[in-house]
Every structure is written in C-alpha cells, then in structure tokens.
Amino acid sequence: MLRSTSTQWSGPFLKSKLCTGQGVVVEGDVKEVRVHSMFVSSTVIDNQEDNLPTRFTVLTVEPERAYPRILRGGSDVDYTCNVKGQRDYVEPALLSHDQLVARIGGTVFAYHAFS
C-alpha cells in the first residue's frame, strides 16, 4: 500500500524561488516510497513554466554517496554509463554528509549513517 502525505503551502511555489543551484545526485538504498501533495493557497499563474508541480513521488533514501550533477554541454552525463576506466568517464566530486545537508537546506539526513 502506498502511503500519502500532504502539506499546506502559503506563498509563491515557484522554481525561480525554491529551486536554486546546480542540483545533486544521491545514490543509496530506497527505504520508503510515498506520494506527497502540496496544497498551495497562493500561486503565480503569469508564468506557468515557473510554477512547480503540486504532486510528488517521495523517496526516503539511505545515502551511500552524493555528488553535484555532472553536466556536459548543458546536459546531464548518463550516470549509468559513467564507468571508471571508460574514455569519457567523469570523476564525481563526492559530497560529505554536511555538504549534502547544506545543499538540500535542512537536516533530513541527520539521523542516518552517511560515509
């Protein structure tokens, strides 16, 4: 059975306000999957592309390693094919636990082991 949660949100729910930075890739074991809905009481409709979706699939992950997104020519590297020893391999710059928490803006992983 898939669990569902929700949050009430007041204010702008926009990519330009909430999604800053390059992003991160987190690899690890998935511990839980759920659906999460945002109930937004005020939103901007002027620029539909800037509005964030209001329904998400949430994964609770015990991280094994994390690193900034690896971009080549403005697009993500195919992480499944980024294998050490191959000609076009790009070494990921691994993040520490504290660096990951700082990037996601919270203390979500404070209770999980992370090396």
Side-chain angles (χ1 to χ4, degrees):
M1 183 165 140
L2 192 60
R3 197 168 72 113
S4 179
T5 57
S6 64
T7 301
Q8 295 281 29
W9 184 273
S10 179
F13 197 62
L14 306 170
K15 291 177 194 173
S16 60
K17 302 286 184 198
L18 301 172
C19 300
T20 60
Q22 178 181 340
V24 295
V25 175
V26 178
E27 298 177 3
D29 293 325
V30 175
K31 299 298 183 183
E32 178 187 19
V33 178
R34 62 186 160 88
V35 174
H36 189 81
S37 299
M38 299 295 293
F39 295 100
V40 181
S41 62
S42 71
T43 186
V44 174
I45 301 174
D46 297 342
N47 181 357
Q48 195 64 30
E49 283 188 18
D50 197 32
N51 287 330
L52 286 167
T54 56
R55 185 164 289 214
F56 302 89
T57 300
V58 178
L59 303 174
T60 301
V61 177
E62 186 172 313
E64 292 175 5
R65 65 186 206 150
Y67 46 90
R69 287 174 57 202
I70 302 170
L71 303 174
R72 183 182 296 136
S75 298
D76 279 284
V77 166
D78 182 351
Y79 301 107
T80 60
C81 295
N82 191 39
V83 178
K84 195 177 263 187
Q86 292 203 357
R87 182 171 51 93
D88 56 353
Y89 174 70
V90 179
E91 182 75 37
L94 298 179
L95 300 172
S96 69
H97 172 269
D98 291 339
Q99 290 170 321
L100 177 60
V101 170
R103 285 201 177 219
I104 63 171
T107 58
V108 175
F109 296 108
Y111 302 105
H112 296 285
F114 182 71
S115 55

